[in-house]
Amino acid sequence: GESVGLHLPTLSVQEGDNSIINCAYSNSASDYFIWYKQESGKGPQFIIDIRSNMDKRQGQRVTVLLNKTVKHLSLQIAATQPGDSAVYFCAETTSGTYKYIFGTGTRLKVLA
Amino acid sequence: ETGVTQSPTHLIKTRGQQVTLRCSSQSGHNTVSWYQQALGQGPQFIFQYYREEENGRGNFPPRFSGLQFPNYSSELNVNALELDDSALYLCASSPSGGVKNIQYFGAGTRLSVL
């Protein structure tokens, strides 16, 4: 399938530290990217998006960086809190298509 | 909360049966997309409906079908269920067709096929 990942990578971070979650996307033609947060028993929740004509976008406590040269996306969370514990997915899409392609996901664990 | 509601929350079926899952989109949204999420994986796109017509489809067989109603709610139907169909089925709504609109997800329906 387009999103394959039998083993979910895990990032453990101390409460109050900054978190960086990375994503390698697959299609060089992708021009819109989104980060979603999924908590246990819930659907994915939108965090932040970025278009391919940008390389950085900031939200509240979150920053997304896009490096099109190496097809890499990252999500930075400042001052990580226990409520940030979840699985984080990046998704990519291309103009003229109708679907998001999701990455494998990264589990973020916030340690007290 | 996103305003996207799905029913039922959990469902158990046996192999060969048929199932219908339902989704009510967020107010003002005319586009609904369906995704299948296997355990430990990211969601995989099944199809999208825009103004009651299928607007795009992923790599799923024809036994996965859908409908969208005039009020923009939607159904996902799966015939001849297989064990591998066990997954979380997610519905997402967005303000219009195409993809450069944020998709808002419901909590999903957990389907178990025995």
Side-chain angles (χ1 to χ4, degrees):
Chain A
E2 293 153 329
S3 171
V4 177
L6 296 177
H7 304 287
L8 206 58
T10 299
L11 175 67
S12 296
V13 176
Q14 285 294 135
E15 182 179 354
D17 286 353
N18 297 335
S19 302
I20 300 176
I21 300 171
N22 296 304
C23 173
Y25 64 91
S26 59
N27 187 354
S28 57
S30 292
D31 56 7
Y32 181 55
F33 306 88
I34 311 100
W35 279 100
Y36 281 94
K37 170 187 180 182
Q38 188 173 24
E39 297 174 278
S40 181
K42 296 185 179 180
Q45 175 189 355
F46 171 83
I47 302 173
I48 192 168
D49 59 354
I50 189 167
R51 300 187 187 278
S52 60
N53 61 353
M54 304 172 69
D55 53 21
K56 180 178 180 179
R57 189 159 190 234
Q58 288 185 289
Q60 186 177 16
R61 274 202 314 121
V62 294
T63 300
V64 55
L65 298 178
L66 174 62
N67 185 331
K68 294 182 289 293
T69 302
V70 295
K71 294 191 291 185
H72 184 268
L73 201 62
S74 68
L75 176 70
Q76 300 178 0
I77 304 173
T80 312
Q81 303 169 359
D84 295 327
S85 293
V87 177
Y88 289 80
F89 292 99
C90 66
E92 61 181 294
T93 190
T94 307
S95 299
T97 66
Y98 307 97
K99 60 183 177 181
Y100 290 172
I101 299 173
F102 281 80
T104 305
T106 297
R107 184 179 304 282
L108 177 64
K109 288 187 176 179
V110 181
L111 308 172
Chain B
E1 299 301 323
T2 62
V4 179
T5 57
Q6 294 187 242
S7 63
T9 54
H10 295 87
L11 202 52
I12 300 175
K13 291 285 189 179
T14 56
R15 195 170 47 182
Q17 285 188 312
Q18 178 267 343
V19 69
T20 297
L21 311 181
R22 294 178 175 82
C23 172
S24 177
S25 59
Q26 187 176 129
S27 177
H29 287 186
N30 59 17
T31 301
V32 172
S33 302
W34 286 92
Y35 292 81
Q36 180 195 67
Q37 186 177 23
L39 198 62
Q41 297 188 18
Q44 290 205 19
F45 176 76
I46 303 175
F47 43 54
Q48 182 184 87
Y49 278 84
Y50 171 61
R51 293 185 176 177
E52 302 179 58
E53 293 193 1
E54 189 178 288
N55 196 33
R57 190 177 183 94
N59 297 326
F60 282 82
R63 60 189 185 84
F64 286 78
S65 63
L67 282 174
Q68 188 179 31
F69 300 99
N71 67 354
Y72 304 129
S73 66
S74 178
E75 286 183 355
L76 165 65
N77 299 290
V78 187
N79 293 323
L81 283 166
E82 301 176 358
L83 298 179
D84 285 348
D85 295 334
S86 295
L88 180 68
Y89 288 85
L90 295 163
C91 165
S93 75
S94 52
S96 64
V99 291
K100 286 190 178 176
N101 293 289
I102 299 166
Q103 295 189 2
Y104 296 91
F105 285 83
T109 293
R110 173 74 61 188
L111 173 65
S112 298
V113 182
L114 306 178

